[in-house]
Amino acid sequence: MPNKVEEFNAYRAKMNDKLLAENNKLIKRIFNLDTNAFMKGALDVKTKELLGLVASAVLRCDDCVKYHLESSKEAGANKEEVMETLGIATLVGGTIVIPHLRRAYEYWEDLEESEA
């Protein structure tokens, strides 16, 4: 069975490389802005990633949810923090977020399995 975490990251890296190779100034600036927005500032990285997770779930972007789940985990978030964050996202986004909540929970399990 393929590792979903590795598969997602490989696809993301491959496509990001292709996009950035196009040398489109606007796309490069957006990527740079995204990178810099999630760096430590007045808020720590974990808090910013959890905020990104809420926004991604509410906007129903599964790739974004996966990215922020992984980044949150790397920044030290634990399952309880992630579940509270996803609870807020579901509250704010409404029941339409529930399918994304399911996939987020499943991906968190994949992240935990990858760590083991």
Side-chain angles (χ1 to χ4, degrees), residues 70-91:
E70 193 163 344
S71 296
S72 295
K73 189 163 189 45
E74 288 171 5
N78 61 39
K79 185 176 185 177
E80 292 77 21
E81 291 169 323
V82 167
M83 290 307 299
E84 276 192 33
T85 300
L86 290 170
I88 291 168
T90 307
L91 173 67

Side-chain angles (χ1 to χ4, degrees), residues 92-104:
V92 171
T95 57
I96 198 165
V97 173
I98 291 173
H100 305 277
L101 171 64
R102 289 182 193 118
R103 287 188 287 272

Side-chain angles (χ1 to χ4, degrees), residues 41-61:
L43 296 175
D44 60 57
V45 172
K46 180 172 78 171
T47 300
K48 288 183 174 188
E49 290 298 342
L50 293 171
L51 289 168
L53 178 58
V54 169
S56 298
V58 170
L59 293 170
R60 302 185 308 269
C61 175

